[in-house]
Amino acid sequence: MLEKIIQKNTEKSEISEQLKGLREQLTLLENKIKTAGVPVIITFDGWSAAGKGSMIAKLIRSLDPRFYKVVSFRAPNEQEKRMPWLWRYWQSLPKKGEFLILDRSWYRDTVNAFMYGEIDKETRDTRLEDICTFERQLTDDGYVIVKIFLHITEDEQKKRIEKLENSSVTSWRVESHDIKNMEKYDKFFRRYDKMLESTNTAFAPWTCVGANERASAELEVLTAVTKAVSTAVSAKEKGEHYIPEPQFDTCGYNYPEYKTIEMPALAEVDMNKSLDEAEYEKKLKKYQDKLFKLQNLCYQKKIPVIICYEGWDAAGKGGNIKRIAAALDPRGYEVHPIAAPEPSELARHYLWRFWTRLEKNGHFTIFDRTWYGRVMVEPIEKLTPEERVNMAYREINEFESQLHAWGAEIIKFWVNVDKDEQLRRFNERENTPEKRWKITDEDWRNREKWDTYEKYVDRMITLTSTDIAPWTILEGNDKKYARIKALKTIVKRLEKRLEKEDK
Amino acid sequence: MLEKIIQKNTEKSEISEQLKGLREQLTLLENKIKTAGVPVIITFDGWSAAGKGSMIAKLIRSLDPRFYKVVSFRAPNEQEKRMPWLWRYWQSLPKKGEFLILDRSWYRDTVNAFMYGEIDKETRDTRLEDICTFERQLTDDGYVIVKIFLHITEDEQKKRIEKLENSSVTSWRVESHDIKNMEKYDKFFRRYDKMLESTNTAFAPWTCVGANERASAELEVLTAVTKAVSTAVSAKEKGEHYIPEPQFDTCGYNYPEYKTIEMPALAEVDMNKSLDEAEYEKKLKKYQDKLFKLQNLCYQKKIPVIICYEGWDAAGKGGNIKRIAAALDPRGYEVHPIAAPEPSELARHYLWRFWTRLEKNGHFTIFDRTWYGRVMVEPIEKLTPEERVNMAYREINEFESQLHAWGAEIIKFWVNVDKDEQLRRFNERENTPEKRWKITDEDWRNREKWDTYEKYVDRMITLTSTDIAPWTILEGNDKKYARIKALKTIVKRLEKRLEKEDK
């Protein structure tokens, strides 16, 4: 794509008139963005010394600083290195009605990271695919992504870096990277070009700007931003999904089909399994001891472990989690109870609150209820339109697949009880003063929708039991049985994983 | 205090019976904590190898892992070093109804940090005072703080560290610190003792536990925790403030009176000041250029700059902030608009959401509305009882004083308009489609309470215009005048500060 970029040299007076109009338009659009609740992400990538920083400074002049945030991304720090690579970008997601402007973005972590020796070629290629997934998930959720690549020619870059170096005010901005890269212009050119081609999608196309001449570059940037934002706002106002224009798609990435394993429907599960007290105590000790040792090994090998609990109300999730936690060193895990989202969570992509709750590698993250709320309570309570819910099965498989690629073991439990047992437990809770806080009117209302829930749960288990993150159904009419099965499942999975690591 | 600690050696069978009872009690109390909405912090400090980790493991056995969090504090990391020293503890504050359990706490950053050469003696002494302030602020807000110091004798410590070192499983846990410290037992003893004495307050007393014998130590810990929590729950249920028993206070710290500077009442402010367009444009450019350069110097010298905006609705805060932001490198500041608190914010100390929004040193943090809501909207709208509001003046002065001690320049603006000018602007907003989002029914309701607000604002300005963080009133009937005055105030303050730095 790069060879097609024209270094424009428009008449200055003409540019300044047009710029003025665009800036005014942008200020008006900003209010509409806020009212319509559209989140906008603008990324700036490109050659060293292409003028990303000063272009951002020009862009934000038209914006209200309370509603945008500028974030600068360089090499990941120690904490970021222990998280999935996209984690730091998820962290920064803007709220609806806000702008996020990135001085280098996730694209920095592909070609640049590869050229700086931070990652290998295979990782770079996977990351390019991850980016397509990431951007598609965001735009499907209503995010507008404007991607700017600032292009300068080899001569121009040389001139600029020399100038920066020779000034005492700016010489600190020239990194040793920059010097070395100048010598590799051709190599970078080919690699940037490939990067641009393979991430130029219909939903998040590139705007490549010839930036030798700063004023005309500014004009192109402002035009692209204004156009994208105004199209998005009109679409939102009409209740339509925003599609950028013109339509490019040189990406051609085929989103994978996730291999699922066969699972029984809930109605087929044998709910008569149980354990007697003596057997329970013996096995509890046995598996807790094992788990404690395994945690230590996972810590040493920096394996992230993610344990998810879903299940009927009163199925015994809390008590089950307690038996897992009791086996673990408390400095190495975190339990996250997931309740209804707060305003700041509702204002972002629904996966945001899960991405931001992940513990670093070597640690356990235990979720008491999870992102699967998206495909159960949200459609049933009509909190989310069916159209978005249907997209969630893929989104969730993608999310878990990215966690897996990070190195995580993902263990998902559906804690099952039958309808009679639930009723018995509800009544017991009502009648026991110290348990009464556990039962609410909502629990009774949910119970009335048992059949609908069952349908959605069956569908969820069928569509998201992938080979890398399968569901395990815990027969929970007998709590002891369910606890031992959970412990055993985790132990077996980690043993298997560690065996593989040792090979 | 340490010499009075008795290393108990109670009969094992007797202990185990008592422990069982305490554990059951604790499980019941946990539900009450949740229902009553009491946040509990339990800190574990003490000698190396005193058994903090295993004591925590025992304690949490009785607790539901969804409602506690264990955090381990060691030397601050790079990010933490660029923040006020208490920042990382504020970050971790539990919600109402939850437990936070600390494996080493803010006490680690006093004696230990001093002995490890991380801080000097004077800093240690200031930190001990900061701790009294911190703990008082939390307990005044309803937090229960249980502070455990695990004491072992010199012989016992030596024995334990040798044992740890000689086992292949545990040798990694012995840090070089530990070895060196063994040789300094006497020195540590005296310093720990002084630390305990000077932070043993009526609201957060120490529980010093002889830990040579593990079982009796556990008994003492569980007894202390159970007692504190049950007293707190009963107090809360009766609507009373929790006071720990028995009453110790060996601290004797005198909370300082903050020196305030004289300020005019709003009614006395001359609202006729203005600037013509030409003058405005000239000065705007002049001060923005200066500010840009000053930001660079503050960045280099790692000075944190905190700018606070309060003012009447429609006083022009947004436009004013925009002119400040326009002068700054966007990678070096953050603007935080402060709206009504979210559930997770309401569930914590009211200063939490401000502590957690601070940018690292060298950066600007700009607040559009601030912690001063506590002494304006909260009493007027009866969101907070007068009793707590009255405590806030001191709390806020303390907060700003801690920011000052961190190195921050704190610049606070009250953007003033008179009642007629506000009405004019409200009407203009109503009548201009693209400004209509800025005006709400709440604005009109607030306007009806103008006189009450004015009284509270006058009081706020009088009580919190300290010499380290004075208020500046911006005469805002003319927006241009107010913008230039804000810019000039910031520029002058930073110039003065940098002059001082250079001396």
Side-chain angles (χ1 to χ4, degrees):
Chain A
M1 292 165 67
L2 285 177
E3 74 282 1
K4 289 184 220 145
I5 297 174
I6 300 153
Q7 298 290 351
K8 285 185 194 143
N9 208 337
T10 324
E11 199 55 56
K12 288 246 161 130
S13 61
E14 197 181 310
I15 290 181
S16 103
E17 199 53 38
Q18 288 183 46
L19 279 177
K20 199 166 159 255
L22 283 169
R23 282 200 205 105
E24 279 163 17
Q25 209 185 326
L26 199 53
T27 303
L28 289 179
L29 278 171
E30 190 189 28
N31 294 335
K32 292 195 177 172
I33 281 284
K34 235 168 317 190
T35 316
V38 176
V40 181
I41 301 175
I42 306 171
T43 65
F44 284 87
D45 289 276
W47 295 88
S48 297
K52 293 180 285 294
S54 56
M55 193 61 83
I56 290 173
K58 281 170 194 155
L59 171 65
I60 58 177
R61 242 185 256 159
S62 319
L63 301 175
D64 185 329
R66 295 174 295 181
F67 305 109
Y68 68 76
K69 196 176 158 168
V70 177
V71 187
S72 189
F73 283 104
R74 295 293 177 268
N77 64 27
E78 287 314 306
Q79 191 201 4
E80 289 164 348
K81 280 183 196 158
R82 298 189 62 177
M83 303 303 292
W85 82 277
L86 282 170
W87 176 80
R88 57 182 183 155
Y89 304 107
W90 274 97
Q91 286 274 350
S92 314
L93 279 199
K95 289 190 205 174
K96 286 175 191 165
E98 295 187 352
F99 285 84
L100 173 69
I101 299 163
L102 299 182
D103 173 18
R104 293 188 187 272
S105 66
W106 39 91
Y107 289 100
R108 187 230 157 262
D109 297 342
T110 62
V111 174
N112 296 61
F114 173 55
M115 294 287 281
Y116 303 159
E118 294 167 20
I119 55 169
D120 61 20
K121 207 165 182 161
E122 201 191 328
T123 306
R124 182 203 58 184
D125 291 340
T126 321
R127 286 188 176 187
L128 289 171
E129 295 176 352
D130 286 345
I131 285 178
C132 294
T133 305
F134 176 52
E135 294 180 351
R136 198 209 71 236
Q137 288 188 355
L138 292 183
T139 53
D140 278 347
D141 198 53
Y143 283 73
V144 174
I145 303 179
V146 184
K147 305 190 296 195
I148 312 280
F149 188 90
L150 295 183
H151 180 51
I152 49 177
T153 55
E154 187 168 10
D155 290 350
E156 180 68 19
Q157 188 189 37
K158 213 172 154 197
K159 220 167 64 191
R160 288 191 188 183
I161 288 181
E162 276 165 9
K163 198 177 156 199
L164 283 171
E165 265 191 314
N166 293 332
S167 151
S168 61
V169 188
T170 53
S171 60
W172 62 275
R173 286 173 52 192
V174 182
E175 295 172 49
S176 65
H177 278 334
D178 298 327
I179 312 292
K180 266 186 269 165
N181 295 342
M182 278 201 318
E183 292 155 23
K184 295 185 191 159
Y185 189 93
D186 287 349
K187 212 165 192 177
F188 261 99
F189 188 96
R190 288 194 306 276
R191 288 184 170 154
Y192 277 144
D193 207 46
K194 194 196 154 194
M195 170 190 96
L196 293 165
E197 290 269 346
S198 59
T199 53
N200 196 36
T201 53
F203 45 83
W206 277 101
T207 300
C208 294
V209 173
N212 275 8
E213 221 285 296
R214 290 173 201 268
S216 67
E218 187 186 350
L219 188 62
E220 282 191 67
V221 168
L222 277 192
T223 306
V225 170
T226 312
K227 188 174 175 192
V229 170
S230 68
T231 317
V233 167
S234 325
K236 180 81 189 238
E237 284 171 351
K238 280 183 261 171
E240 289 168 7
H241 189 73
Y242 158 65
I243 297 160
E245 284 173 55
Q247 282 287 306
F248 292 115
D249 203 333
T250 57
C251 160
Y253 172 52
N254 286 317
Y255 298 97
E257 288 306 317
Y258 292 90
K259 218 162 81 190
T260 52
I261 54 176
E262 207 169 323
M263 294 290 294
L266 289 188
E268 295 162 18
V269 174
D270 172 8
M271 292 305 291
N272 293 317
K273 292 178 179 170
S274 68
L275 268 185
D276 67 38
E277 187 67 29
E279 187 82 349
Y280 171 66
E281 291 296 343
K282 209 180 89 193
K283 288 194 167 165
L284 184 67
K285 183 158 179 1
K286 174 180 159 191
Y287 287 113
Q288 284 186 335
D289 287 349
K290 282 192 180 206
L291 182 53
F292 178 70
K293 288 188 192 114
L294 288 164
Q295 181 195 18
N296 212 340
L297 293 170
C298 288
Y299 182 78
Q300 286 173 31
K301 295 198 183 288
K302 292 204 163 41
I303 298 171
V305 180
I306 298 168
I307 305 177
C308 305
Y309 278 87
E310 289 285 354
W312 298 104
D313 292 326
K317 290 190 296 297
N320 204 304
I321 291 172
K322 196 165 172 178
R323 271 53 180 201
I324 309 299
L328 301 171
D329 184 319
R331 290 164 295 189
Y333 72 85
E334 185 87 46
V335 180
H336 294 289
I338 300 299
E342 300 209 347
S344 59
E345 294 170 336
L346 282 172
R348 293 181 169 92
H349 192 284
Y350 72 98
L351 287 175
W352 179 77
R353 61 180 181 143
F354 304 104
W355 272 97
T356 52
R357 277 175 169 87
L358 295 173
E359 299 296 308
K360 58 177 178 262
N361 63 18
H363 287 241
F364 281 53
T365 315
I366 303 175
F367 288 98
D368 176 16
R369 302 200 185 275
T370 66
W371 42 94
Y372 284 98
R374 185 71 168 184
V375 294
M376 289 192 296
V377 58
E378 293 191 26
I380 295 172
E381 299 294 338
K382 308 218 181 313
L383 302 170
T384 304
E386 281 287 339
E387 183 210 352
R388 283 291 294 133
V389 170
N390 288 333
M391 293 162 107
Y393 299 102
R394 165 174 288 284
E395 288 161 352
I396 286 173
N397 285 339
E398 287 168 342
F399 173 43
E400 293 175 358
S401 159
Q402 286 173 0
L403 297 180
H404 175 75
W406 168 45
E409 282 298 318
I410 306 154
I411 301 165
K412 303 188 296 199
F413 293 121
W414 174 263
V415 192
N416 203 42
V417 285
D418 62 32
K419 224 175 155 180
D420 293 344
E421 178 62 19
Q422 189 191 52
L423 183 62
R424 209 188 54 71
R425 291 186 192 176
F426 274 16
N427 286 330
E428 191 199 339
R429 287 181 175 189
E430 295 272 12
N431 299 327
T432 317
E434 65 272 20
K435 287 190 180 174
R436 208 168 290 148
W437 65 274
K438 287 183 169 185
I439 181 113
T440 64
D441 290 350
E442 209 188 319
D443 294 331
W444 288 104
R445 278 196 301 276
N446 288 343
R447 184 174 160 79
E448 282 168 27
K449 298 177 190 160
W450 181 286
D451 294 345
T452 313
Y453 266 97
E454 186 166 329
K455 213 176 69 190
Y456 276 90
V457 174
D458 279 337
R459 188 174 177 209
M460 165 186 98
I461 289 180
T462 305
L463 294 178
T464 61
S465 261
T466 54
D467 49 358
I468 54 153
W471 282 97
T472 300
I473 296 172
L474 302 178
E475 297 83 349
N477 275 7
D478 181 62
K479 288 179 182 177
K480 296 192 291 296
Y481 180 86
R483 289 171 191 167
I484 298 301
K485 184 167 176 185
L487 273 163
K488 196 171 160 182
T489 305
I490 299 168
V491 164
K492 294 288 166 213
R493 186 81 85 76
L494 298 183
E495 280 175 351
K496 206 168 144 194
R497 166 63 180 271
L498 287 160
E499 249 172 56
K500 237 194 277 172
E501 292 277 318
D502 286 338
K503 267 180 201 158
Chain B
M1 291 167 69
L2 286 178
E3 75 281 1
K4 289 184 217 144
I5 296 174
I6 300 154
Q7 298 291 351
K8 287 186 193 141
N9 208 337
T10 325
E11 201 53 56
K12 289 245 162 131
S13 61
E14 198 180 310
I15 291 181
S16 100
E17 198 53 38
Q18 288 182 46
L19 278 177
K20 198 165 161 253
L22 284 169
R23 282 199 206 107
E24 280 164 15
Q25 209 184 327
L26 200 54
T27 303
L28 290 178
L29 277 171
E30 191 190 26
N31 295 335
K32 292 194 175 175
I33 281 285
K34 236 169 317 192
T35 316
V38 175
V40 181
I41 301 176
I42 306 172
T43 65
F44 284 86
D45 289 277
W47 296 90
S48 296
K52 293 179 286 294
S54 56
M55 193 61 82
I56 290 173
K58 281 171 193 155
L59 171 65
I60 57 177
R61 243 185 256 160
S62 319
L63 300 175
D64 185 328
R66 295 174 295 180
F67 306 109
Y68 69 76
K69 195 175 159 169
V70 177
V71 186
S72 189
F73 283 104
R74 294 294 178 267
N77 64 28
E78 286 314 306
Q79 191 201 6
E80 290 164 346
K81 279 183 196 156
R82 296 190 63 177
M83 304 303 291
W85 81 277
L86 281 170
W87 176 80
R88 56 183 185 154
Y89 305 108
W90 273 97
Q91 288 272 351
S92 314
L93 279 198
K95 287 191 207 175
K96 287 174 189 166
E98 294 187 353
F99 285 83
L100 173 68
I101 299 163
L102 300 183
D103 174 18
R104 293 189 187 270
S105 66
W106 38 91
Y107 288 100
R108 187 231 156 260
D109 297 343
T110 62
V111 174
N112 296 60
F114 174 55
M115 295 286 281
Y116 303 160
E118 293 168 18
I119 56 170
D120 60 20
K121 205 163 185 167
E122 201 191 326
T123 306
R124 182 203 58 185
D125 292 339
T126 320
R127 286 187 175 186
L128 289 172
E129 296 175 351
D130 286 346
I131 284 177
C132 293
T133 304
F134 177 52
E135 294 180 352
R136 199 208 71 236
Q137 288 188 356
L138 293 182
T139 52
D140 278 347
D141 200 54
Y143 282 74
V144 175
I145 304 179
V146 185
K147 304 190 297 195
I148 312 279
F149 188 90
L150 296 182
H151 179 51
I152 50 176
T153 56
E154 188 168 7
D155 289 352
E156 180 68 19
Q157 189 190 37
K158 211 171 155 197
K159 219 167 66 189
R160 289 192 187 180
I161 288 182
E162 276 166 9
K163 198 176 156 198
L164 284 171
E165 265 192 315
N166 293 334
S167 151
S168 62
V169 187
T170 53
S171 59
W172 62 275
R173 287 172 51 193
V174 181
E175 296 172 49
S176 65
H177 280 332
D178 299 326
I179 312 294
K180 267 188 266 164
N181 295 341
M182 278 202 317
E183 290 156 23
K184 294 186 192 159
Y185 189 92
D186 288 347
K187 215 166 189 175
F188 261 99
F189 188 95
R190 287 193 307 275
R191 287 181 170 155
Y192 277 144
D193 207 45
K194 193 197 153 192
M195 171 191 95
L196 293 166
E197 290 269 345
S198 60
T199 54
N200 195 36
T201 53
F203 45 82
W206 277 102
T207 301
C208 294
V209 173
N212 273 10
E213 222 285 295
R214 289 170 202 269
S216 67
E218 188 187 351
L219 187 62
E220 283 190 67
V221 168
L222 277 192
T223 305
V225 170
T226 312
K227 189 174 173 191
V229 171
S230 67
T231 316
V233 167
S234 325
K236 181 84 186 233
E237 284 172 351
K238 280 183 262 169
E240 290 166 9
H241 189 73
Y242 158 65
I243 297 162
E245 283 173 56
Q247 283 287 305
F248 292 116
D249 202 334
T250 57
C251 159
Y253 172 53
N254 286 316
Y255 298 99
E257 288 305 315
Y258 292 90
K259 217 161 83 191
T260 53
I261 55 176
E262 209 169 319
M263 293 290 292
L266 290 187
E268 295 161 18
V269 175
D270 173 10
M271 294 303 292
N272 292 315
K273 293 178 179 170
S274 68
L275 269 185
D276 68 38
E277 187 68 29
E279 187 82 349
Y280 170 68
E281 291 296 345
K282 210 180 89 194
K283 290 195 167 164
L284 185 66
K285 183 159 178 2
K286 174 180 158 193
Y287 288 113
Q288 284 186 336
D289 287 350
K290 282 192 180 205
L291 183 54
F292 178 70
K293 288 188 192 115
L294 289 164
Q295 181 195 18
N296 212 337
L297 293 170
C298 287
Y299 182 78
Q300 286 174 31
K301 295 198 183 287
K302 293 206 163 39
I303 298 171
V305 179
I306 297 167
I307 304 178
C308 306
Y309 278 87
E310 289 286 353
W312 298 104
D313 292 327
K317 290 189 296 296
N320 204 304
I321 291 171
K322 195 165 174 179
R323 272 53 181 203
I324 308 299
L328 301 171
D329 183 318
R331 292 164 294 189
Y333 72 84
E334 185 85 47
V335 180
H336 294 288
I338 301 299
E342 301 208 346
S344 59
E345 296 170 332
L346 282 173
R348 292 180 170 94
H349 193 284
Y350 72 97
L351 287 175
W352 180 76
R353 62 180 180 141
F354 304 104
W355 272 98
T356 52
R357 277 175 169 86
L358 295 173
E359 299 296 307
K360 59 177 177 259
N361 62 18
H363 287 240
F364 281 51
T365 316
I366 302 175
F367 288 99
D368 177 15
R369 301 199 187 274
T370 65
W371 41 95
Y372 283 99
R374 185 70 168 184
V375 294
M376 290 192 297
V377 58
E378 294 191 25
I380 295 172
E381 298 294 338
K382 306 220 181 314
L383 303 169
T384 304
E386 281 285 340
E387 184 209 351
R388 283 291 295 133
V389 171
N390 288 333
M391 293 161 106
Y393 299 102
R394 165 173 290 284
E395 288 161 352
I396 286 173
N397 285 338
E398 287 169 343
F399 172 44
E400 292 175 358
S401 159
Q402 286 173 0
L403 297 180
H404 175 75
W406 168 45
E409 281 299 317
I410 306 154
I411 301 167
K412 303 187 298 200
F413 293 122
W414 175 263
V415 192
N416 203 41
V417 284
D418 61 30
K419 225 175 152 179
D420 293 344
E421 178 62 20
Q422 190 191 52
L423 183 62
R424 209 189 54 71
R425 291 187 191 173
F426 275 16
N427 286 330
E428 192 199 338
R429 287 181 175 187
E430 295 273 12
N431 299 326
T432 317
E434 65 272 22
K435 288 191 179 172
R436 207 168 289 147
W437 64 273
K438 286 184 169 185
I439 180 109
T440 64
D441 291 350
E442 208 188 320
D443 294 330
W444 288 105
R445 277 196 303 275
N446 289 342
R447 184 175 160 79
E448 283 169 26
K449 297 179 192 159
W450 181 286
D451 294 346
T452 313
Y453 266 97
E454 188 166 327
K455 214 176 68 191
Y456 275 90
V457 174
D458 279 336
R459 188 175 177 207
M460 165 186 99
I461 290 180
T462 304
L463 294 177
T464 61
S465 261
T466 54
D467 50 355
I468 53 154
W471 282 96
T472 299
I473 296 173
L474 302 178
E475 296 83 350
N477 275 9
D478 181 62
K479 288 180 182 177
K480 296 192 290 299
Y481 179 86
R483 289 169 190 167
I484 299 301
K485 184 167 175 184
L487 273 165
K488 197 171 158 183
T489 305
I490 299 169
V491 164
K492 293 290 166 207
R493 185 81 84 76
L494 297 183
E495 280 176 351
K496 207 169 141 193
R497 166 62 180 273
L498 286 160
E499 250 172 54
K500 238 195 279 175
E501 293 276 320
D502 285 339
K503 270 181 198 158

